[in-house]
Each structure stands twice: as C-alpha cells, then as structure tokens.
Amino acid sequence: MLIDSFGRHITYLRISVTQRCNFRCLYCMPKIPFDYVPKEELLSFEEMFVFVKELIDRGVKKIRISGGEPLLRKDLSVFIKMIKTYKNDIDLALTSNGFLLKDYAKELKNAGLERINISLDTLDSKKAKKLAQKDVLSSVLAGIEEAISCGFKVKLNTVALKGLNDDELISLLEFAKNKKMQIRFIEFMENIHAYGALRGLKKDEIIKLLSQKYTISLIKKDEFAPVSLYSANGYEFGIIDPHSDAFCKSCNRIRLSAEGLLIPCLYHEDALSIKEAMRSKDIEKALQILVKVLENKPEKNEWKLNDNQISKRAFYQTGG
C-alpha cells in the first residue's frame, strides 16, 4: 500500500503524458509559444508503464490521463491498452479539450478507456475562439458527439469566468442535461501563466446565477476530490472549488508528469524526478523517490485566496 506521512492511502494517479496543447486558453497558457518538447526529454510510455505497474501493485485503483492535450501524444491508445491489459478493472479516465476526439474516440474505446472529461467553456463560437485563441467549437462539439456515440461516460468541465461565460452557465448546464452528461463548473485557478485580467466566479456566485432558473440544493461533498455535487431540479451537476482545503484530509492522489516528475500536490513545488532512475531501469531507485514524495505530501494545500496568492505551477505541465 502507498501511505503518506499523514496516514492517507494513495489510490489515485494522474498522469500528464504531454505538456503540449493545441489551444492557448486564456486561463492556462495564453502566451506560451507552440513549442515542441523533444521526445528524448519525456518518459516513454514503456518507462511510464513499468512505474505505473508498481503503483497498481501497491494499491492504485484509479488513473486519469491528461496533458496539456493528451491526444497530441502519439500512440496514446497503446499506453491505455498496456494499462488495461495489466489490470482490466482499473478505473481509467482521460481529460481532453475534445478538439481531436472525433478522430480518436473509437480507437480509445477499443483500447479500453471508459470515461472522458471534456472541456467546454462556451457554446458561442466567437467566445470559444477568444478563450482558446483558435476556432475550436465545432470540432469540440463533434468530439463530444463522437464520444457519446462510442459509449463513453462523458463529463463536461467548464471554467466559470466573469464577463466571458457567466451569461451562459444555465445554457451550458442544459446542454449537458439534454445529453445526459454531468457538467462540473470549475472556479478559475489563479496562476502566473494565465491572462492577468481574468476574474473567475466563486461557488456561491455560480449557484446564484443558476438559481435564476433552477432550485439548487447540495447533494454531497466528494470526500476525495474538491467537487461538491448539487441538484438543479433533479439534475446532478458539480462545482469544483480548488481554493478549499476541505478534501485535503482525505486526498488520495499523486501526479506523474511527462518528463518524470512525481508531484505530491498540485499547489506545491516539492516534486522529485524519477526520469534518471527509469532510464537506467532502476525501479528500486524510482520507488525510493516515491517514498520521499509521499513523505513530502503536505497535510493541505497552501492556496490562501485571502492573501491574493497566485500559483506558480504550470497547470498545462501537470494536468491541473
């Protein structure tokens, strides 16, 4: 079993397979150039898999693959099939912007992927172009439809932003509801890589806007994630509050970046690299590093909103 210094059992691994993205979203990486990280700087899928197997053997039950945009990483379905072949009942999910999903959904399904979270911040093509700095909406919507037709369980992720999509939250909720998907509104995560003029909506503000049409009631707070589930006249949706440390006491996750960094907490910089160990096929060394990472995992996040704290973390590198 994987247990940190506060007695929490680690059963959830998030893997960022690439920091590359084909969007330049204002809330994430608007000024980062369209660069290419040389393949030799990344862990190969084979190297990742050797380490992932060790974590599965030690109790990891859930894996989420993210980026950047994970579908930009060649042979992603091969990696997914490796994991599912090793442990068929692993809870395996993907987070994507949906732009390439129309072309890859069937391949991913055949490889064993079960669930996909897709970013959808607006249903207005002009707003989508402004947010992503690219004409994306029609491709994203096509990706959503293809994922549904392939039988995926689909959730939508929406970053709630003042003056950009705050007038669409009801429409977005109804879009998801009509397609029998769950939507999750996400509070904007302040970070130094984002467009500085952005202002996000907080949980109470999101609820107030939705309450203009729906009766909103709390269903439950997820014990292992920063999401609260609500009912809008019987339809279940979520709000993710990353500023809260309410779920930290039961946090069950660690992260692995494409370049081999093991990250104990999204809000901390205390990451250690397993790349050298995996390149030299020294799995024992990698496991020793894992032990140190678990020891470094903080009791709770250090995001103090009242102090106007802005994260230095590049979320596109860690799957934030």
Side-chain angles (χ1 to χ4, degrees), residues 23 97-99 119-129 132 134-144 168 172 175:
F23 289 12
N97 61 32
F99 188 80
S119 296
L120 183 69
D121 297 316
T122 177
L123 294 168
D124 183 302
S125 60
K126 291 182 179 178
K127 288 184 185 178
K129 187 173 183 179
K134 181 176 181 177
D135 189 5
V136 299
L137 185 60
S138 60
S139 294
V140 172
L141 293 177
I144 291 171
E168 288 189 84
L172 285 159
F175 174 83

Side-chain angles (χ1 to χ4, degrees), residues 5 25 29 31 46 66 107-108 155 167 225 270-271 284 311:
S5 57
C25 293
M29 52 190 300
K31 295 181 180 180
E46 290 76 17
S66 62
E107 180 181 316
L108 294 168
K155 292 180 181 178
D167 60 338
D270 296 332
E284 290 304 317
S311 176

Side-chain angles (χ1 to χ4, degrees), residues 153-156 172-185 210 214-222 227-239:
K153 182 178 180 181
V154 180
K155 292 180 181 178
L156 299 181
L172 285 159
L173 182 141
E174 291 175 343
F175 174 83
K177 177 184 177 183
N178 291 338
K179 294 187 178 296
K180 297 179 171 56
M181 301 179 293
Q182 183 186 98
I183 190 169
R184 301 178 327 159
F185 297 104
L210 297 176
Y214 292 95
T215 299
I216 308 299
S217 58
L218 178 67
I219 299 174
K220 67 176 181 178
K221 177 75 177 72
D222 194 312
V227 61
S228 298
L229 297 178
Y230 292 85
S231 169
N233 293 20
Y235 166 72
E236 184 178 292
F237 71 97
I239 298 178

